[in-house]
Amino acid sequence: MIKTDILIIGAGPTGLFTVFEAGLLKLKCHLIDALPQAGGQCSEIYPKKPIYDIPAYPEILAGDLTHKLLEQCKQFEPGFTLGERAETIDKQEDGSFIVTTNKGTKHQATVVAIAGGLGSFEPRKPLIHNIAAFEDKGVEYIIKDPEFYRDKKVVIAGGGDSALDWSIFLSDVASEVTLVHRRNEFRGHLDSVDKVQELKNEGKINLVTPAEIVGILGTDKLKGVVVKQAEHIEKEFELECDHFIPLFGLSPKLGPIANWGLEIEKNAIKVDNSLDYQTNIPGIYAIGDVNTYPGKLKLILCGFHEATLMCQSAYKIINPGKRYVMKYTTVAGVDGFDGTRKESPKAVVKKIE
């Protein structure tokens, strides 16, 4: 049995930052994640994709953000159960919870924080009859390493931020990038749309709209795709390529957590955001992309804020009747569980005679 103060389900950015905030309160954390490494989507789906809205970082790769968060929380010595999915939860007579994974590993904690991002997810695949035969043979639904596409001909399908952002990024990596979308209008950020238009005018991106991919060409591996232009129902043409990347988003699922008695709304966990992001079950919180409340924004920086307030509330549950006086880290410093201490330099006091 693994025992801890706060059991965090999900080792993505929000879960990792929770370790740091809990550590400032002298609370121990253990994390469970179905993925084999920490970082969530930042590590598994887009480790080489730049993120632009993390405070103090004008630009940081998703994988590098994970490394920074691991470095930040290392001093508080978190435990990890990776490659296992949280399966069941049972409340004990003393008010604590026992969470058991799909591999039978049991964890006991006074507080459970669900930080599972989108939950378990799988890419939305286009309805092309033979596409499954070419998966990992030229068809990819997730870009993990852009260098994999160095000097290759790439076709991307989609009209959202991922399709736009990766088309822009790969325009400097691939030998040829073609973006295909079924509409003339895109759903992504305006600056990304403008950038794609600019790169099209420069001849660095081929833009085919309104159109869709309707067929795959090749035998043992991908050789090309069949494009149907929407304005000409009978008009189809073949497009030679080395890789076809449909980016139609992810289909999120809460998985076993959906059966824990939590209040669910549109595949997300409802929480009380007026105070601490607690669920309808006292002692269980939901933070980050997995939760929902009025005005919710699914941003990493919002998850950091939610984690901070959640830890303050968890402290009261774990230490009933004990008052915590918040002190700024610039004043109090940071004492790690590993014996390290970080503090700002003290002013030198000199007596004037």
Short mmCIF file of all heavy atoms in Angstrom, two decimals, residues 130 254 327:
data_model
loop_
_atom_site.label_atom_id
_atom_site.label_comp_id
_atom_site.label_asym_id
_atom_site.label_seq_id
_atom_site.Cartn_x
_atom_site.Cartn_y
_atom_site.Cartn_z
N ASN A 130 -9.47 2.37 -46.14
CA ASN A 130 -8.23 1.60 -45.98
C ASN A 130 -7.18 2.32 -45.13
O ASN A 130 -6.01 1.94 -45.14
CB ASN A 130 -7.64 1.25 -47.34
CG ASN A 130 -7.24 2.49 -48.14
OD1 ASN A 130 -7.77 3.58 -47.90
ND2 ASN A 130 -6.34 2.32 -49.09
N LEU A 254 -13.43 9.97 -19.98
CA LEU A 254 -12.99 9.96 -18.59
C LEU A 254 -12.53 8.59 -18.14
O LEU A 254 -11.78 8.47 -17.17
CB LEU A 254 -14.13 10.44 -17.68
CG LEU A 254 -14.41 11.94 -17.69
CD1 LEU A 254 -15.63 12.25 -16.84
CD2 LEU A 254 -13.20 12.72 -17.19
N LYS A 327 3.17 32.53 3.57
CA LYS A 327 4.32 33.43 3.46
C LYS A 327 4.86 33.34 2.04
O LYS A 327 4.94 32.25 1.47
CB LYS A 327 5.41 33.03 4.46
CG LYS A 327 5.01 33.20 5.93
CD LYS A 327 6.17 32.80 6.85
CE LYS A 327 5.78 32.95 8.32
NZ LYS A 327 6.89 32.56 9.23
#
